[in-house]
Amino acid sequence: MWLQRRSSAKQSTGKRLLPSCFSRSLKQYKSHRDNGSSTTFEISEAENKNLELKGAKFFTFKEKHRIGVSANYKAIVRTGSEFGYSVNTNATEQIFKRKSYRSENFISSVKVLYQYNSDNFTVSASPFLGYEEIKERNLYPNSGQKFEYSYFGLTADYRQSINSNQAISFQPYFSKRMVNKSINALSLMANQEINDWILHDYEFQASDISTFGASLRYDIKLEKLPAFFVSAEYQSQKIQKKTIILSAQV
């Protein structure tokens, strides 16, 4: 069994049986103000924090059968700050720095794997379940949105060896995203094109999505020639839109 952990918290000095690390990034965005000098000023700042936990366990029995389960949890938090400067003095000075944006994304998933191995073929199936929560908030102007999703699906894989130089594989898959909750507190702008973009993005985020697809691959290795393969893939996606009403705030 293995486990990976990412966290922005300080690591303890005690003994650890499993590896631990954290991921954090900070970006600053600058703007140039032409007042007779080449001075640049920070206008905004973005910070990302990531936490990830993974675990998996697999068993093999009767030589040909393999079964396993894996779990994954991931949290991504993004915050943004903006800076304000004085404009009524000869020397430009920073007068404030304020938090203006926050985004949170939490994802949990569980996957089960079953695989059967034979001399000439291998077949496997992997059902999965997942849950995701997304929250976004902008303070200036005050607006935001929240989504909660449930996921389920199945992926399969069949690989057949034709002979020592040829093999064929078939991989069908299906997944569905269901919207458990969607909260709209968006603020529209005076620009209609921006409003259309906001509405289009929200409609997609608040829609159930079903995806079905399959791929077929043929591998061959000829004497005195490099191995190559030919593949084809098909995918179909259905988006079920829901009634959306946005309130304008100009």
Side-chain angles (χ1 to χ4, degrees):
M1 181 174 182
W2 58 271
L3 180 66
Q4 181 180 6
R5 182 176 184 270
R6 296 181 181 175
S7 173
S8 59
K10 294 182 179 179
Q11 297 184 6
S12 65
T13 57
K15 294 182 179 180
R16 287 186 179 274
L17 300 178
L18 300 170
S20 176
C21 62
F22 82 93
S23 174
R24 178 179 178 180
S25 63
L26 182 68
K27 294 182 179 180
Q28 290 183 332
Y29 302 90
K30 297 183 178 182
S31 176
H32 172 66
R33 183 172 183 265
D34 188 8
N35 60 351
S37 66
S38 58
T39 305
T40 59
F41 305 93
E42 286 82 8
I43 60 173
S44 62
E45 182 179 270
E47 183 178 14
N48 297 330
K49 294 181 180 180
N50 297 322
L51 167 68
E52 187 169 9
L53 299 170
K54 293 182 178 180
K57 184 66 175 179
F58 296 91
F59 302 92
T60 301
F61 57 97
K62 294 184 179 180
E63 297 182 356
K64 296 184 177 182
H65 301 272
R66 181 176 172 85
I67 189 170
V69 61
S70 64
N72 181 71
Y73 172 80
K74 189 172 184 179
I76 303 173
V77 178
R78 300 182 177 93
T79 55
S81 302
E82 60 185 21
F83 299 83
Y85 296 88
S86 63
V87 294
N88 56 354
T89 60
N90 293 330
T92 302
E93 298 178 353
Q94 179 182 323
I95 57 177
F96 70 82
K97 174 186 176 181
R98 62 189 182 186
K99 298 287 185 181
S100 59
Y101 174 80
R102 183 177 178 87
S103 171
E104 300 175 352
N105 190 4
F106 306 101
I107 306 171
S108 303
S109 62
V110 177
K111 181 185 294 186
V112 177
L113 170 69
Y114 171 76
Q115 184 178 72
Y116 176 79
N117 298 307
S118 181
D119 295 336
N120 297 323
F121 72 91
T122 300
V123 61
S124 64
S126 181
F128 62 88
L129 297 171
Y131 173 82
E132 182 177 11
E133 180 179 346
I134 300 175
K135 294 189 289 186
E136 285 187 294
R137 186 183 179 188
N138 189 22
L139 298 180
Y140 309 100
N142 190 12
S143 63
Q145 56 186 358
K146 178 181 178 179
F147 306 97
E148 293 182 9
Y149 304 116
S150 293
Y151 297 90
F152 70 89
L154 174 69
T155 60
D157 186 7
Y158 176 80
R159 299 176 184 270
Q160 175 72 54
S161 176
I162 301 174
N163 53 44
S164 60
N165 298 327
Q166 301 178 72
I168 190 170
S169 60
F170 177 63
Q171 297 175 317
Y173 56 89
F174 167 78
S175 66
K176 184 174 180 62
R177 183 186 81 175
M178 297 179 296
V179 181
N180 301 331
K181 180 186 295 185
S182 62
I183 298 177
N184 161 31
L186 298 172
S187 298
L188 298 185
M189 307 298 174
N191 190 314
Q192 185 59 40
E193 293 182 355
I194 296 179
N195 292 338
D196 292 341
W197 177 81
I198 294 175
L199 178 60
H200 177 76
D201 180 73
Y202 184 84
E203 285 180 342
F204 178 80
Q205 296 289 349
S207 300
D208 295 341
I209 299 178
S210 300
T211 304
F212 171 79
S215 64
L216 182 66
R217 172 168 165 166
Y218 172 73
D219 291 80
I220 184 171
K221 183 178 181 181
L222 301 177
E223 187 177 356
K224 298 181 180 180
L225 291 176
F228 69 93
F229 68 89
V230 178
S231 66
E233 183 173 358
Y234 168 81
Q235 185 182 89
S236 176
Q237 191 172 74
K238 180 181 179 181
I239 301 176
Q240 183 179 351
K241 295 184 179 181
K242 300 185 178 182
T243 303
I244 307 297
I245 301 177
L246 297 181
S247 58
Q249 178 179 334
V250 180

